[in-house]
Amino acid sequence: MKRLSIYLAALLALGLTSCSNEDFFMPGTQENAQESVLQVGDVTVSPLMTQTIDVNDLLDVNGEDSLYIKLGVVSVKEGALVEGVGLQSKVQVSTSEDFSNPMTFDGESMDGNDTIRLSPKALQEAYYSNVTHSPKAKTLYVRSMVQTVTNGTSVAYVGNPAYYTTGSVSFTPLDMHIVIEPAYYYLGSLGSDQTYKLTNSGADPYDDPVFSVTIPALGEGWHWFKIAPESAYDADGNMDWSKEESCICPLTGDATELSGKCTNGKLSWHLLEDDGAKFYTITVNVMDMTYEITPVFFSDFIYLACDYNGWSTSASPLAHLGGGDYEGFYYIQQADESSTWGFKFVIDGAWSGGSHDVALAGSYELGGGGNLNCPTGFYQVKVNQVSATYTLTPVETISLIGSAVNGDTSWGTDADMTFSATEGCWVYQGPLTAGEFKFRMNHDWSISWGGTADDELTNQNGANLQLGEAGDYRVKFWPNCNGEGTYTIAPAN
């Protein structure tokens, strides 16, 4: 065994890539599939990896490398390395053990040096850009490769490639002194408590620093607000005004711009409300301190269009329940290779779809996307226009219930209906007694229909329906949406 002597003249700096499997090469060299002059058995790497890497101990006051991260010492079998051939290393670091998302660092020439090493500055920058800004320690997986460089131009891996110094370390990144709290709250004309909470996706706030909330318009032309961090509230949820300096606010007082940079301090936004805007969505990126305020205009109805209703843009309305939530009750058929079945939403005239995967919940793209898809069935269809999401709840049965069903004055007996795809409605045929009744979904009172008119049924605590005379009846019920449910009741033939 002997130490390496390398014939490359320059020590090349480390170059980092994004999180991908793509390799990046040394300037002036060309990597190809040619076979290396060294076999796997010609190379031995003695590991130098430690169990922990703390970048704070490896950088100087200017953020430059003061010590390199040493991964291993390379030795080559006597006589295996020939004139004109040198070595370089390549290192991959990943947050997953299978290296499905590697950060790849270009190889460093080993001219006069037999140690595989990694720049802590390069590692920190890659980690900060591709993994997280969190100062918390995280387990990283590291592996290194050895390459031969022939005549300074032709690069080939030792092995296919062979991985050396493979293992995990507890990595502590540079403390950037960026504090992101788990929650923030709207503070302004609508109140100073914690009613309106800004939330992110639920991920670590350093991984997802974008927080948002939708607030109702005040309706008075304008109002002021700022964003208070969770730490500005006491244990009872009251704002501690001595901590107002920690609030997120605009760069200038009474700012009216709907997007831009923000800062910390006591200033406030001056939100000029648009005519017709029902809500405003406030979004703040706490990492780069930018914000966006978006007015939300809600129409009374949006529409479900599908093959079953002939892709009508008006036949199947979903009624606005408030806050951007819409609801309706309709039959949908699953798409297959021989049909156009599936569905979309028509929102303010825009055909809105998304993924064609069979799913009972998901998101939609306003004005775009393919047909949505679900198993064939009758559903409670709910759409949230603020988050651009939908959910489908299967309606297993709709029933009549009340004193008109078997004279049950305790309202404990359901008369189940059957859905008729031919007629597009739920049907019950059988005896009923004089009395009161309602329709309900899945034998549960959380969704029931009533009202004072047979074509304006509501599922928002509608009045009991009336039946004046006992007999055999055929009842048809179209749930539709709130305020537009309808039913007919006639003597059975």
Side-chain angles (χ1 to χ4, degrees):
M1 305 291 284
K2 68 177 183 179
R3 287 190 176 272
L4 300 174
S5 66
I6 304 298
Y7 303 98
L8 294 177
L11 178 64
L12 299 175
L14 285 169
L16 62 94
T17 77
S18 62
C19 289
S20 71
N21 287 310
E22 184 178 3
D23 290 330
F24 287 73
F25 312 127
M26 295 174 60
T29 65
Q30 198 171 35
E31 186 159 338
N32 52 48
Q34 76 173 52
E35 186 176 348
S36 170
V37 298
L38 297 179
Q39 304 301 311
V40 173
D42 296 331
V43 176
T44 301
V45 179
S46 301
L48 296 176
M49 285 180 58
T50 61
Q51 293 184 333
T52 61
I53 297 175
D54 189 338
V55 172
N56 297 276
D57 298 332
L58 304 176
L59 300 178
D60 61 23
V61 293
N62 297 315
E64 300 297 330
D65 295 329
S66 61
L67 293 172
Y68 273 79
I69 301 168
K70 296 180 179 181
L71 302 178
V73 175
V74 179
S75 297
V76 176
K77 184 186 297 184
E78 184 77 28
L81 195 63
V82 298
E83 182 95 12
V85 178
L87 295 188
Q88 69 181 30
S89 65
K90 180 169 282 195
V91 178
Q92 287 187 334
V93 180
S94 177
T95 57
S96 61
E97 192 170 7
D98 62 359
F99 286 85
S100 59
N101 59 340
M103 294 172 283
T104 302
F105 299 86
D106 270 351
E108 180 181 302
S109 166
M110 295 180 179
D111 188 13
N113 175 354
D114 57 3
T115 302
I116 298 175
R117 63 183 194 173
L118 178 61
S119 161
K121 179 182 178 181
L123 177 57
Q124 167 64 32
E125 290 175 349
Y127 184 83
Y128 192 83
S129 298
N130 299 308
V131 181
T132 180
H133 290 70
S134 173
K136 301 175 184 176
K138 189 178 186 72
T139 297
L140 295 181
Y141 298 89
V142 183
R143 66 186 182 188
S144 58
M145 297 149 281
V146 176
Q147 298 172 312
T148 55
V149 183
T150 303
N151 297 324
T153 60
S154 196
V155 179
Y157 282 115
V158 175
N160 193 30
Y163 296 115
Y164 303 97
T165 62
T166 300
S168 63
V169 297
S170 176
F171 175 73
T172 301
L174 185 66
D175 187 355
M176 306 298 289
H177 303 292
I178 296 174
V179 177
I180 301 180
E181 299 198 20
Y184 295 84
Y185 299 91
Y186 163 96
L187 173 67
S189 297
L190 294 171
S192 61
D193 58 15
Q194 296 177 313
T195 298
Y196 300 106
K197 180 180 181 180
L198 283 79
T199 58
N200 68 350
S201 64
D204 185 307
Y206 289 92
D207 295 335
D208 178 14
V210 180
F211 289 76
S212 64
V213 66
T214 298
I215 62 168
L218 192 63
E220 297 179 359
W222 72 275
H223 75 265
W224 70 271
F225 77 92
K226 63 186 68 178
I227 305 299
E230 188 173 58
S231 62
Y233 289 86
D234 62 24
D236 295 325
N238 299 314
M239 175 66 188
D240 182 350
W241 288 97
S242 69
K243 298 180 180 179
E244 188 180 6
E245 285 282 1
S246 65
C247 289
I248 297 173
C249 64
L251 300 180
T252 59
D254 295 333
T256 59
E257 294 81 9
L258 295 182
S259 63
K261 296 288 289 184
C262 50
T263 188
N264 296 106
K266 294 184 177 182
L267 301 178
S268 302
W269 277 282
H270 188 114
L271 177 58
L272 301 177
E273 296 186 353
D274 290 346
D275 290 340
K278 305 298 184 183
F279 290 81
Y280 285 87
T281 297
I282 302 168
T283 302
V284 178
N285 186 321
V286 188
M287 182 64 66
D288 62 19
M289 294 301 279
T290 57
Y291 74 93
E292 183 173 3
I293 304 169
T294 306
V296 181
F297 301 88
F298 296 135
S299 55
D300 291 335
F301 297 96
I302 63 176
Y303 299 89
L304 171 73
C306 59
D307 194 73
Y308 182 70
N309 66 13
W311 293 94
S312 170
T313 60
S314 60
S316 303
L318 279 67
H320 186 213
L321 303 181
D325 288 318
Y326 291 78
E327 179 189 64
F329 299 82
Y330 297 106
Y331 183 70
I332 308 173
Q333 293 167 293
Q334 180 172 332
D336 60 33
E337 295 179 358
S338 62
S339 75
T340 59
W341 294 347
F343 65 98
K344 278 189 172 182
F345 301 109
V346 182
I347 301 174
D348 295 330
W351 289 86
S352 303
S355 169
H356 197 56
D357 295 338
V358 179
L360 295 182
S363 58
Y364 65 84
E365 177 185 345
L366 184 63
N371 290 353
L372 300 165
N373 198 3
C374 67
T376 297
F378 198 93
Y379 294 99
Q380 175 194 26
V381 183
K382 300 191 77 172
V383 171
N384 183 280
Q385 199 171 339
V386 176
S387 61
T389 57
Y390 72 92
T391 57
L392 306 177
T393 301
V395 179
E396 304 296 342
T397 187
I398 288 179
S399 59
L400 291 88
I401 188 170
S403 59
V405 179
N406 294 337
D408 186 353
T409 58
S410 68
W411 289 61
T413 303
D414 288 275
D416 288 348
M417 309 181 78
T418 301
F419 180 72
S420 169
T422 303
E423 297 185 82
C425 63
W426 292 82
V427 179
Y428 167 80
Q429 183 163 322
L432 294 172
T433 60
E436 297 180 322
F437 67 96
K438 279 187 172 183
F439 300 96
R440 71 173 181 172
M441 172 179 142
N442 293 344
H443 296 164
D444 192 289
W445 281 113
S446 60
I447 297 289
S448 66
W449 290 265
T452 56
D454 58 11
D455 59 353
E456 297 179 358
L457 299 190
T458 174
N459 58 347
Q460 302 291 309
N461 198 31
N464 294 345
L465 303 170
Q466 306 291 325
L467 180 63
E469 184 177 341
D472 286 335
Y473 289 94
R474 183 173 177 83
V475 184
K476 298 181 181 180
F477 175 47
W478 295 262
N480 298 339
C481 65
N482 185 48
E484 295 202 358
T486 184
Y487 80 101
T488 61
I489 183 168
N493 294 329

